[in-house]
Each structure stands twice: as structure tokens, then as C-alpha cells.
């Protein structure tokens, strides 16, 4: 029957890992291990009936997802102190990425959320691994893969670094004294909100607040200009301003530079 076909389609739509990630995601969103009723009340798929038919009872499913003994308040593990000291290239890069494509979600009296959403799922996975997180990755219908962590200590560290819920319209920048950390931060920001146009040798990072870009130019090894076009602020570095010097600064190891978004670092102008 039509109903039987529909149920079979739903059953085969999700892999076992999809089911486990759904349980992990809801655990992260609620900040605790969900009860049977709590999971069913969350408006998202896959349904509880599919989980039980594929993974067994709810208790068994939670155990397979690794959320039955995740510690105090059911929080999944994550390196809460990752951003407390920006003393490595990796930390500086991911801070720049969060300045661009991340967000801190202020939930009032509830634990704040740290969020990163990109079309490049493998890069979201890399961020998750950098944080040592066991939370699932949510693949949305619009092609965005999202990683969300409910962790107040992690959120507080980012807020102190200027990466808060108002960062989009702020001129804030982290206090980074080392040149290699500044380069990694700008590379993360470029991977989030920038592009390189080979025609005309044009490097650009976009944003909403020109004041941040004006301050950022002081870090660069090349001259840059800030323009406001159609309500969008843009930091430009052109060929005659030293785009090659800038690229060598951003990618000191060329295409082997890490962390970096693969599809952008392969645009390196030689």
C-alpha cells in the first residue's frame, strides 16, 4: 500500500550514523540527555519509531550514541578551555573563522551556544575535531553543515576575545601580538567571508563593520583599502598593493598550510 511504501522510505532514508547523530544533536541542544518524551517533543527527524526499530529500545539507542553517561547534566565532551589562550596557529585560525561564519547564541539564563555553519562539511568536521567535541553535525536542507556546542566556558572565552553575539556590527579584534597568529586569524576570516579574484589579482574580505577592517589593515604586510558598497564593507588588497606578499603571509607553507579551506588555498597566485 501507499502507507507501507511511505514507511519503508522513511526507514531507509537514514543511516545508523544519522540516527545516532540525531540523538547527539538533541542532547547538545537540550544540554542534557533527553528522555523518551523529550526526544519525541523535539520537532525534527528521524522519529522515535524509526530509532527504536533500527537501534532497539531508547535506552539501547542512547548507549550506542554515547550519551547515556556523558557526565554532569548530560553534556557531551568538548575542550571547554580551547580558546582561553590563543597561543597556537590552530586556535587563531578557528577564532578568525568564528568571527566570520560562527556565532555565539545568547540564551539568557540557559547555557550559551557556540555555532559554526558552512557548506564545506569536511571543514566543520575539522573544527569539531579541533575542539575534541563528540556532538553531532547537523546537515541542513539548505546545504549547510552545522556544529553546535552548549558550553558556557567556551562561549565566555570567545566573548572575551570580541567574538560575541554582536560581533557582526562591532569593530572588535582579538589582541594578537604574534605575526603568525595574526596571519592565521586573517586566513580564518578570509576562508569564512573572503574571496580571491584572479582577474585583476583582487583579494577581498566582506563584512558589515568598516571599523574592523580599518584596524585589520594595520596587521597586513601589504597596503589595503576599505570600501563600502551597497551597504557592505569590503577590505581590498589589489595587485599593486602587494597581493602576492599578502598571500605568502597568509599561506607560509603554500598549499600545505593548515588549517585552511582546501578550495581557497588552491587559488594561491603563483
Amino acid at each position: 500500500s501507499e502507507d507501507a511504501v511511505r514507511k519503508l522510505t522513511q526507514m531507509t532514508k537514514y543511516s545508523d550514523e544519522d540516527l545516532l547523530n540525531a540523538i547527539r544533536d538533541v542532547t547538545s541542544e537540550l544540554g542534557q540527555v533527553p528522555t523518551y518524551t523529550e526526544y519525541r517533543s523535539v520537532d525534527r527527524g528521524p522519529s522515535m519509531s524509526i530509532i527504536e526499530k533500527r537501534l532497539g529500545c531508547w535506552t539501547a539507542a542512547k548507549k550506542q550514541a554515547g550519551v547515556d553517561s556523558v557526565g554532569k547534566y548530560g553534556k557531551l565532551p568538548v575542550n571547554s578551555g580551547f580558546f582561553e589562550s590563543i597561543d597556537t596557529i590552530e586556535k587563531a585560525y578557528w577564532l578568525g573563522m568564528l568571527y566570520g561564519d560562527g556565532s555565539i547564541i545568547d540564551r539568557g539564563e540557559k547555557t550559551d551556544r557556540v555555532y559554526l555553519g558552512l557548506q564545506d562539511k569536511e571543514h566543520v568536521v575539522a573544527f569539531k575535531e579541533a575542539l575534541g567535541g563528540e556532538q553531532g553535525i547537523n546537515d541542513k536542507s539548505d546545504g549547510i553543515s552545522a556544529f553546535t556546542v552548549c558550553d558556557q566556558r567556551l562561549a565566555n572565552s570567545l566573548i572575551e576575545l570580541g567574538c560575541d553575539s554582536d560581533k557582526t556590527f562591532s569593530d572588535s579584534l582579538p589582541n594578537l601580538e604574534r605575526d603568525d597568529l595574526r596571519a592565521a586569524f586573517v586566513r580564518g576570516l578570509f576562508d569564512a567571508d573572503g574571496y580571491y579574484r584572479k582577474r585583476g589579482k583582487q583579494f577581498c574580505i566582506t563584512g558589515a563593520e568598516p571599523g574592523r577592517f580599518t584596524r585589520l589593515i594595520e596587521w597586513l604586510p601589504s597596503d589595503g583599502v576599505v570600501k563600502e558598497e551597497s551597504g557592505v564593507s569590503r577590505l581590498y588588497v589589489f595587485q599593486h598593493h602587494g597581493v602576492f606578499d599578502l598571500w605568502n603571509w597568509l599561506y607560509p607553507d603554500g598549499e600545505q598550510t593548515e588549517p585552511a579551506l582546501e578550495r581557497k588555498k588552491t587559488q594561491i597566485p603563483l
Side-chain angles (χ1 to χ4, degrees):
S1 67
E2 186 175 314
D3 185 55
V5 172
R6 180 183 60 80
K7 289 182 179 180
L8 180 60
T9 300
Q10 287 296 312
M11 282 291 292
T12 57
K13 178 180 179 181
Y14 303 101
S15 67
D16 286 355
E17 189 62 24
D18 290 335
L19 303 181
L20 296 174
N21 280 335
I23 297 171
R24 293 167 185 149
D25 288 343
V26 173
T27 300
S28 179
E29 291 168 12
L30 295 179
Q32 63 183 31
V33 180
T35 64
Y36 184 94
T37 302
E38 286 172 335
Y39 182 89
R40 292 191 65 181
S41 68
V42 177
D43 185 21
R44 59 171 298 164
S47 69
M48 180 62 78
S49 62
I50 293 176
I51 288 175
E52 289 184 314
K53 287 178 181 178
R54 291 272 293 280
L55 303 178
C57 69
W58 180 232
T59 299
K62 288 188 293 183
K63 186 173 183 178
Q64 291 178 65
V67 303
D68 61 330
S69 58
V70 293
K72 190 177 181 181
Y73 307 125
K75 286 179 61 179
L76 287 165
V78 69
N79 182 358
S80 302
F82 185 80
F83 288 111
E84 288 184 350
S85 177
I86 306 302
D87 52 5
T88 68
I89 298 298
E90 183 180 45
K91 293 177 182 179
Y93 173 83
W94 290 117
L95 178 60
M97 174 66 69
L98 288 171
Y99 254 82
D101 275 339
S103 61
I104 306 300
I105 303 171
D106 185 346
R107 304 175 69 210
E109 296 182 358
K110 295 182 178 181
T111 304
D112 290 347
R113 290 177 180 170
V114 178
Y115 169 93
L116 178 65
L118 303 170
Q119 290 184 326
D120 304 87
K121 183 174 181 177
E122 71 281 358
H123 218 52
V124 180
V125 172
F127 176 62
K128 169 185 171 177
E129 292 176 347
L131 287 182
E134 294 186 11
Q135 295 77 2
I137 292 175
N138 183 17
D139 294 320
K140 301 183 178 181
S141 58
D142 59 0
I144 297 294
S145 293
F147 179 66
T148 305
V149 178
C150 293
D151 190 290
Q152 196 61 55
R153 181 181 172 190
L154 190 68
N156 287 344
S157 298
L158 289 166
I159 291 169
E160 290 178 7
L161 290 163
C163 188
D164 55 26
S165 57
D166 298 320
K167 67 177 174 59
T168 301
F169 303 100
S170 166
D171 66 351
S172 62
L173 281 177
N175 183 24
L176 303 176
E177 298 296 335
R178 282 169 41 187
D179 191 60
D180 59 340
L181 297 180
R182 290 181 172 185
F185 174 89
V186 176
R187 188 168 69 247
L189 191 60
F190 170 72
D191 280 352
D193 287 332
Y195 63 85
Y196 172 69
R197 189 167 293 159
K198 291 185 177 181
R199 184 176 182 181
K201 300 294 189 294
Q202 183 184 99
F203 171 93
C204 178
I205 300 177
T206 63
E209 174 48 56
R212 175 177 294 152
F213 290 159
T214 299
R215 296 179 59 197
L216 198 63
I217 285 176
E218 297 178 7
W219 289 7
L220 305 183
S222 310
D223 292 332
V225 294
V226 179
K227 297 183 179 182
E228 292 188 65
E229 303 167 333
S230 303
V232 177
S233 298
R234 290 181 169 87
L235 187 163
Y236 286 109
V237 175
F238 299 106
Q239 184 174 18
H240 61 282
H241 285 142
V243 69
F244 295 109
D245 289 341
L246 173 64
W247 219 268
N248 289 330
W249 182 71
L250 289 175
Y251 299 92
D253 296 319
E255 293 188 19
Q256 304 305 313
T257 301
E258 295 290 348
L261 194 59
E262 191 70 25
R263 62 182 170 83
K264 289 193 177 181
K265 70 180 180 181
T266 55
Q267 298 176 346
I268 295 174
L270 301 176

